[in-house]
Amino acid sequence: MKKKLTGILLLLLFIALPLQGQAKVKAPKKQCHAYVVMDAGSGEVLFGQDANKKIYPASTAKLMTAIVCVEKGNVNSVIKTKSDVVYRTTPGTYSLGIGAGVNYTFKDLLHMSLMSSAADATDSLAVGVFGSKKACVEAMNEKCKELGLKKTHFDNPVGSDIGAGYNETYASAKEMAKICRYAMAIPLIRSAVSKAHYSTQKGGMYVNTTNWFLKGMAYYDRDTYKIIGSKSGTTNAAGHVFIATAADYEGHELICAYFGNVSKESTFASIRSLFDYAFNNYKKGKLTLTPSNYDVRSSQKYGAVYSEYSALHCYPAQKDGLFAPNKAITRKQLGTMLEAIDSLKDNATLSAFVSENENGTVTTTRFAQLLQELYPVTISDKKAEEVLASCSSIDTMDETAKEAYASFASGALAVDDSCKTANQRITRGQALLIADKLADYQMNYLADHAQTQIAEVRQIPGKDGTITLPAMSYTTFNKKWSDSLKEQKEAQDAEAAAKKAEAERKAAKEKQPKKDAEQITEGTKSKENASQAEAAKSKENASQATTATQKQKKQATTATQKQKKEVITETKKKKVKK
């Protein structure tokens, strides 16, 4: 039955699914190497110019250095600078002059690296955490692989490029925006790049940012959005570059990664115009933005699941941009998630659940009952008793509620131990994980229970006529199943292409001997023709030579006869005179 369902769904997949990831507004033309504007909440590129073109990141590379150092190092440690590091910094960069043998905190070096773009602070941080610049660079490239970045590579921690003899530092605007998105989800980095000034805790250094927006040296529309960070850079090869992050007052966040302008002034002016354009199009309804949710989008616990569904724009929104995973979720928020992630839009059971109390919270018991209403199952008394023995707060529940709760608590939908407390309020984080697990639950349930819904059918127009489907198909196109079907379709297409290529290869191989024979025959004929032509030409040349010789002999005979005649005539004339 599962195989049959999969076959039906594969036929309908590309009819029923909307296209995603396409630019929704025209990208303004800019005088630069490349740029992208990304929705930080979802990771979608909204628009851009030469987004995948090879560029040089300059000091924006320090964002990746900061990422690996924060994740690997002890952020509360003290690092003593070394003379062979601070006085021999990576060439082609700016140094702040932090001195050798000076104790700085990890956070001091991080702020100096990201705010003032100091190479001596960056190299010192890299060596302090990893032991060497080389080891830091290896970690940076490993992180690129982890993030799926295929066009980005580093060979130094500070962003020096071909102009200074570093040929293996390069990236694309799109991938640098992804790096910034990841970095801005790390609280310590997010805090550092948001500051205009900073005084070190040790070492007595005072640091100013290179971000003109934060210094008040570049204008932008503060009534619509606020610039909250990120990183600048410049080299001869890169030009002037800046990756800026801006947030509106509804909790949305945009990243503009801009590379290769001719001046710092025009770089900041261009970024401002791109932010204006994006936020204005959002207000007009031409762009859809996802709340920033920077507290979960790159987290270990929620990051992967969050990213899986972020483009569906179904997450709770807060003006501060936080997802707040430990906050209790409301029925309306849960309903929005389930509608999008599990394709339950317009489901009467879910709609009734939400309308009961839109702003009310949801206990594990009530969710278990909702699940039973959506996907009825039975559980044996013995199994129910075993499961409920490990649960708490179940004394006031009736038998129907206990059966639903036991079914929920015994399966994968109980994402953590707190789900085994019947009156536990489901949090936003739990709801996200449950909605993801429910997508798997749906797939298995519908495959096992499809026979109960055969009587209810619907019809949709197909390429070759009308296709009749079980009514349960309205729930089958959840994103997880759709992705699985896409993978199957791609695998089938690849297999078909491989078989076709093999058949063509065999056919070509079979034709080759005949073709070779034809070529040999043709070659022999060509040689014979050439020989015949050569012989004919030689014969013709010989004939022409004979004719020429005969002509020359005739001309010589004629001349001799003429000379003899002239001699006789002259002799006769002399005799007459005498």
Side-chain angles (χ1 to χ4, degrees):
M1 180 60 73
K2 290 182 182 180
K3 188 174 181 181
K4 182 179 178 182
L5 282 172
T6 300
I8 294 172
L9 292 172
L10 279 170
L11 287 173
L12 297 170
L13 180 61
F14 296 102
I15 299 173
L17 285 177
L19 294 175
Q20 294 187 15
Q22 296 179 332
K24 302 177 182 66
V25 296
K26 185 177 180 180
K29 180 69 176 176
K30 294 294 181 182
Q31 295 298 316
C32 63
H33 296 320
Y35 80 82
V36 296
V37 174
M38 175 181 284
D39 175 20
S42 66
E44 286 185 294
V45 172
L46 303 176
F47 54 88
Q49 176 180 307
D50 295 321
N52 294 310
K53 176 183 175 182
K54 179 179 179 179
I55 53 92
Y56 299 105
S59 286
T60 61
K62 294 183 177 78
L63 287 170
M64 181 57 90
T65 311
I67 289 170
V68 297
C69 286
V70 170
E71 291 184 341
K72 169 73 174 177
N74 177 1
V75 298
N76 296 313
S77 64
V78 173
I79 296 173
K80 187 175 183 178
T81 59
K82 299 178 180 180
S83 59
D84 62 336
V85 176
V86 298
Y87 298 136
R88 299 175 66 183
T89 56
T90 307
T93 56
Y94 161 77
S95 289
L96 191 60
I98 62 174
V102 181
N103 288 321
Y104 292 99
T105 67
F106 180 106
K107 295 175 184 177
D108 287 341
L109 293 174
L110 184 74
H111 279 77
M112 289 188 282
S113 171
L114 295 176
M115 291 178 62
S116 67
S117 208
D120 46 2
T122 307
D123 283 343
S124 294
L125 182 63
V127 173
V129 172
F130 289 95
S132 69
K133 290 188 282 186
K134 180 181 178 181
C136 179
V137 169
E138 289 174 354
M140 293 165 72
N141 290 321
E142 279 300 313
K143 194 67 182 180
C144 286
K145 291 178 183 178
E146 180 187 317
L147 297 178
L149 309 180
K150 297 180 179 179
K151 295 180 179 292
T152 301
H153 190 272
F154 302 101
D155 60 1
N156 66 91
V158 301
S160 288
D161 52 41
I162 56 173
Y166 289 89
N167 300 324
E168 297 301 318
T169 286
Y170 51 82
S172 70
K174 181 178 179 179
E175 292 194 350
M176 287 306 301
K178 288 183 177 181
I179 289 173
C180 181
R181 178 177 182 261
Y182 188 93
M184 291 298 286
I186 298 174
L188 185 55
I189 295 176
R190 190 180 182 91
S191 173
V193 299
S194 69
K195 297 172 183 173
H197 312 286
Y198 176 79
S199 294
T200 61
Q201 299 172 40
K202 291 180 176 292
M205 299 293 291
Y206 183 76
V207 182
N208 293 310
T209 183
T210 57
N211 184 339
W212 281 13
F213 288 128
L214 297 182
K215 292 171 74 172
M217 297 174 66
Y219 166 79
Y220 69 91
D221 184 5
R222 296 172 187 270
D223 292 332
T224 303
Y225 59 90
K226 179 182 179 182
I227 303 293
I228 57 174
S230 297
K231 188 75 189 72
S232 68
T234 180
T235 67
N236 290 334
H240 288 274
V241 307
F242 190 64
I243 306 178
T245 306
D248 68 6
Y249 299 103
E250 297 177 16
H252 304 113
E253 187 175 314
L254 297 182
I255 294 169
C256 180
Y258 195 92
F259 295 87
N261 213 324
V262 295
S263 70
K264 203 163 186 175
E265 291 83 358
S266 58
T267 298
F268 281 88
S270 295
I271 291 172
R272 181 198 69 221
S273 70
L274 292 171
F275 278 143
D276 290 347
Y277 180 75
F279 281 119
N280 286 336
N281 274 291
Y282 163 69
K283 286 182 178 180
K284 294 175 183 177
K286 294 182 179 180
L287 287 175
T288 302
L289 302 180
T290 294
S292 168
N293 297 327
Y294 63 88
D295 54 337
V296 296
R297 70 188 187 212
S298 297
S299 73
Q300 258 191 338
K301 185 173 183 179
Y302 303 108
V305 177
Y306 174 90
S307 296
E308 177 76 16
Y309 306 108
S310 59
L312 299 179
H313 308 290
C314 61
Y315 297 141
Q318 290 190 179
K319 290 183 178 181
D320 59 5
L322 293 171
F323 185 88
N326 295 322
K327 187 174 182 178
I329 197 166
T330 66
R331 291 195 182 200
K332 184 176 181 180
Q333 291 168 345
L334 178 61
T336 300
M337 270 196 202
L338 297 180
E339 284 179 359
I341 295 174
D342 303 301
S343 293
L344 290 173
K345 187 173 176 60
D346 299 324
N347 180 281
T349 301
L350 181 61
S351 296
F353 166 79
V354 172
S355 62
E356 282 178 15
N357 185 1
E358 285 192 353
N359 296 317
T361 56
V362 185
T363 63
T364 51
T365 304
R366 184 64 187 93
F367 179 79
Q369 291 171 326
L370 171 64
L371 183 67
Q372 183 73 352
E373 292 165 11
L374 288 168
Y375 308 106
V377 294
T378 58
I379 184 171
S380 68
D381 291 342
K382 183 178 180 181
K383 178 68 174 177
E385 188 177 343
E386 289 175 358
V387 173
L388 294 176
S390 62
C391 299
S392 59
S393 304
I394 60 172
D395 297 337
T396 59
M397 296 167 61
D398 61 31
E399 292 305 312
T400 303
K402 282 184 178 180
E403 182 180 15
Y405 185 66
S407 178
F408 165 72
S410 65
L413 295 178
V415 293
D416 57 42
D417 289 341
S418 69
C419 290
K420 293 186 178 182
T421 301
N423 59 2
Q424 171 71 32
R425 285 182 173 81
I426 293 178
T427 66
R428 291 178 176 181
Q430 287 176 318
L432 175 59
L433 299 180
I434 289 171
D436 176 57
K437 296 289 186 183
L438 183 58
D440 291 323
Y441 186 91
Q442 276 181 320
M443 288 164 27
N444 295 323
Y445 182 89
L446 294 173
D448 291 338
H449 296 77
Q451 68 276 9
T452 65
Q453 307 194 36
I454 294 297
E456 302 175 41
V457 299
R458 66 188 180 109
Q459 294 181 327
I460 66 167
K463 236 180 184 182
D464 304 316
T466 300
I467 301 173
T468 301
L469 291 175
M472 66 88 181
S473 296
Y474 78 95
T475 57
T476 57
F477 285 110
N478 68 56
K479 185 179 183 300
K480 183 170 282 190
W481 202 344
S482 298
D483 288 346
S484 175
L485 291 170
K486 281 181 184 178
E487 289 176 5
Q488 290 182 46
K489 181 72 166 59
E490 289 169 0
Q492 289 177 4
D493 290 346
E495 185 179 356
K499 286 181 178 179
K500 183 180 178 182
E502 179 63 18
E504 290 174 349
R505 187 188 68 79
K506 286 182 178 179
K509 189 175 181 180
E510 289 172 359
K511 290 179 180 179
Q512 192 61 38
K514 185 178 178 181
K515 187 175 180 182
D516 290 344
E518 290 174 351
Q519 288 176 346
I520 291 170
T521 302
E522 186 65 30
T524 302
K525 287 181 179 179
S526 297
K527 286 180 180 179
E528 289 176 355
N529 292 337
S531 297
Q532 290 172 1
E534 185 66 28
K537 189 174 181 181
S538 298
K539 187 175 180 181
E540 183 182 349
N541 291 340
S543 177
Q544 289 175 352
T546 301
T547 302
T549 302
Q550 290 173 348
K551 187 176 180 181
Q552 288 173 355
K553 285 181 178 179
K554 187 176 180 181
Q555 287 174 346
T557 302
T558 302
T560 302
Q561 289 173 351
K562 186 178 179 182
Q563 287 175 353
K564 286 179 179 180
K565 191 176 180 181
E566 287 176 353
V567 169
I568 294 168
T569 302
E570 186 64 31
T571 304
K572 286 181 179 180
K573 284 181 181 181
K574 286 181 180 179
K575 285 181 180 180
V576 173
K577 284 182 181 181
K578 288 180 178 179

